[in-house]
Amino acid sequence: MVNINTNMLLGTGEKPPALRWVLLAIQHVCAMFGATILVPIVVNTTAGADILSIPVALVSSGLGTLIYLLCTRNRSPVYLGSSFAFIAPMVAGYAIGGTGSVFTALMIVGLVYVAISMIIRVTGPEWINKLLPPVVVGPMIMVIGLSLAPTAIQEIGLDLVHVSWNNLLVAFVAFLMTAIVAVRGRGIQQVIPFLIGIIVGYIVAALLGMVDFAPVWSAHLIEIPKFYLPIVNYDLNFAAVLTIVPIALVTMVEHVGDHKVLSEIIGRDLIEDPGLQRTLLGDGLATFLAAFLGGPANTTYGENTSVVGMTRVASTYVIGLAAIIAILFAFLGPLTALLTAIPQPVLGGISVLLYGFICVNGLKILINNQVDFTNTKNVVVAATMLVLGLGGAALSFVYGDLSISISGMSLAAIVGVLLNLLVPEEKHE
């Protein structure tokens, strides 16, 4: 296949030499690794239960990426990893209906993506921008980040009267290293600041005697990930579904945005070729499979898009090999044990930045799209979403034995969409 963009060293269908192929793939694994494993760690820590498995998240990420490449006919160099947008909804869904209901809801998220892709195939993609304009998406992403903020504080121990100095030191080192690398990092460092922050914080915690390495030494070299058994372990809970599924509205917009950015990098409009209907189909099937196996929802990874831009290599062969390496990593027992042993203050330190970054990304959407807040309608939509999403609002509907509850981010998303559609535009004299 001919390289479409002369600025790219390798086009989407081109294969690099063997050694460079492996090195480029490992670089993509490094870019996605920190965020992909962080989602199950944060979800489990926040919920106080083992909902997600790191190895299953890696397998889901790799398999999901391969499915995406298949659906897009190797025309789009996208890597899929664990979605941060579903962290708080998964925790809330677990509190409502348990682990089985979380994965059932995530499978429905995947099916929603598939359904939307089919509709787009018939109608075209223009209606998505009308349904989910920046004034709805921006506040929604801000709510996602800010609703997780208390978790970071608890992990550090700042919610306690007497805070351990060891906790503060480790959290500060992890935070500072992540911040420095994010600001001053070069090359691959710039896309893996959280991974570097975790590694440095982990080392300091180990030197202070805060890490138990016994599980690492006792782990088998090869271990089978703990997949969920379909049908047996799944549970349809409507309240959990309504808590989790509406977030698909947000991640769908994120999906479109990432593909637009990548289109500019490689010089080909991915919304047109291979088409939004194919990219959404790949993302949806990947999320369905991930939930089917007991993993987190998948999403397009901006980190890997940055790697494509920096290396000027858009080869889908590189992306595919990275996916295979991620799957192989999932079967390494010592690696899983090492990741599971990360102390909470390390996670707390980087989470201060992580959740803040998520919130600021929502703010950037409002700024970059020049959302006019002298327009009272925009103020009404954004303000209502922020208050409902952060204030703990909840609506419950009970009919006989059926009880349905919509709360937090999901309620904010639904209300935001409805307000934007129903509130009339402001009249000017």
Side-chain angles (χ1 to χ4, degrees):
M1 185 178 294
V2 178
N3 190 346
I4 296 172
N5 187 346
T6 54
N7 291 324
M8 303 305 292
L9 297 176
L10 286 174
T12 52
E14 296 179 320
K15 187 187 301 182
L19 179 58
R20 188 180 299 177
W21 188 4
V22 172
L23 293 177
L24 287 168
I26 291 174
Q27 189 170 230
H28 272 285
V29 172
C30 290
M32 70 85 184
F33 196 81
T36 297
I37 67 167
L38 191 57
V39 170
I41 292 172
V42 172
V43 168
N44 294 347
T45 302
T46 306
D50 290 332
I51 301 173
L52 297 175
S53 159
I54 292 173
V56 175
L58 289 172
V59 171
S60 302
S61 170
L63 289 177
T65 299
L66 294 176
I67 289 173
Y68 174 89
L69 292 176
L70 182 64
C71 289
T72 55
R73 300 178 297 181
N74 264 10
R75 300 282 288 160
S76 178
V78 162
Y79 193 94
L80 300 181
S82 306
S83 173
F84 283 93
F86 288 94
I87 290 178
M90 280 191 285
V91 173
Y94 171 77
I96 293 169
T99 306
S101 65
V102 170
F103 296 127
T104 302
L106 290 178
M107 284 195 291
I108 294 174
V109 168
L111 294 177
V112 168
Y113 265 62
V114 172
I116 296 298
S117 75
M118 298 303 177
I119 294 172
I120 288 174
R121 184 182 294 274
V122 176
T123 65
E126 292 76 16
W127 59 272
I128 289 183
N129 292 330
K130 294 181 180 179
L131 184 69
L132 298 167
V135 72
V136 173
V137 176
M140 192 66 258
I141 294 176
M142 293 173 69
V143 168
I144 289 171
L146 292 174
S147 65
L148 291 165
T151 301
I153 303 304
Q154 292 166 10
E155 288 170 340
I156 298 171
L158 289 173
D159 59 329
L160 304 174
V161 176
H162 300 291
V163 185
S164 165
W165 281 105
N166 282 0
N167 282 16
L168 284 178
L169 177 61
V170 169
F172 179 71
V173 169
F175 169 88
L176 189 62
M177 182 55 61
T178 304
I180 291 173
V181 174
V183 174
R184 300 297 297 271
R186 294 292 180 266
I188 188 63
Q189 296 174 353
Q190 208 167 32
V191 296
I192 55 169
F194 294 106
L195 182 59
I196 294 175
I198 288 175
I199 292 172
V200 174
Y202 203 144
I203 292 171
V204 173
L207 292 174
L208 293 174
M210 298 171 63
V211 183
D212 179 15
F213 287 109
V216 179
W217 312 132
S218 61
H220 296 95
L221 180 60
I222 303 298
E223 291 189 0
I224 306 298
K226 297 178 180 177
F227 299 107
Y228 237 59
L229 293 176
I231 302 174
V232 176
N233 293 317
Y234 289 78
D235 175 41
L236 180 59
N237 183 298
F238 289 105
V241 167
L242 289 175
T243 298
I244 294 173
V245 171
I247 305 304
L249 297 174
V250 178
T251 53
M252 207 173 299
V253 177
E254 180 185 29
H255 174 103
V256 175
D258 283 343
H259 281 79
K260 286 183 177 179
V261 171
L262 187 56
S263 296
E264 294 178 6
I265 292 173
I266 70 173
R268 173 161 50 83
D269 188 354
L270 297 173
I271 304 299
E272 295 293 331
D273 177 19
L276 186 58
Q277 70 277 12
R278 286 184 174 274
T279 63
L280 277 174
L281 176 65
D283 205 342
L285 291 177
T287 292
F288 181 87
L289 177 65
F292 185 80
L293 297 175
N298 279 323
T299 190
T300 51
Y301 259 26
E303 293 92 332
N304 295 84
T305 298
S306 298
V307 172
V308 171
M310 286 188 299
T311 61
R312 292 190 293 154
V313 173
S315 172
T316 50
Y317 287 96
V318 171
I319 299 292
L321 182 57
I324 293 170
I325 292 173
I327 294 170
L328 294 176
F329 273 11
F331 290 84
L332 297 178
L335 177 63
T336 301
L338 198 64
L339 295 171
T340 305
I342 298 175
Q344 286 198 8
V346 174
L347 299 175
I350 66 166
S351 292
V352 170
L353 279 174
L354 176 64
Y355 302 152
F357 277 5
I358 294 173
C359 174
V360 171
N361 280 336
L363 187 60
K364 283 168 62 178
I365 287 175
L366 297 174
I367 294 172
N368 292 341
N369 288 278
Q370 299 180 332
V371 175
D372 182 12
F373 281 109
T374 62
N375 183 329
T376 308
K377 176 182 175 178
N378 289 340
V379 175
V380 168
V381 173
T384 305
M385 291 180 68
L386 290 171
V387 171
L388 292 178
L390 299 174
L395 282 177
S396 296
F397 304 93
V398 180
Y399 183 79
D401 294 331
L402 178 64
S403 176
I404 298 175
S405 177
I406 311 172
S407 61
M409 288 181 290
S410 300
L411 181 60
I414 294 170
V415 170
V417 169
L418 292 176
L419 284 176
N420 182 66
L421 294 174
L422 299 178
V423 174
E425 293 292 339
E426 185 176 5
K427 287 187 176 181
H428 296 282
E429 297 295 335

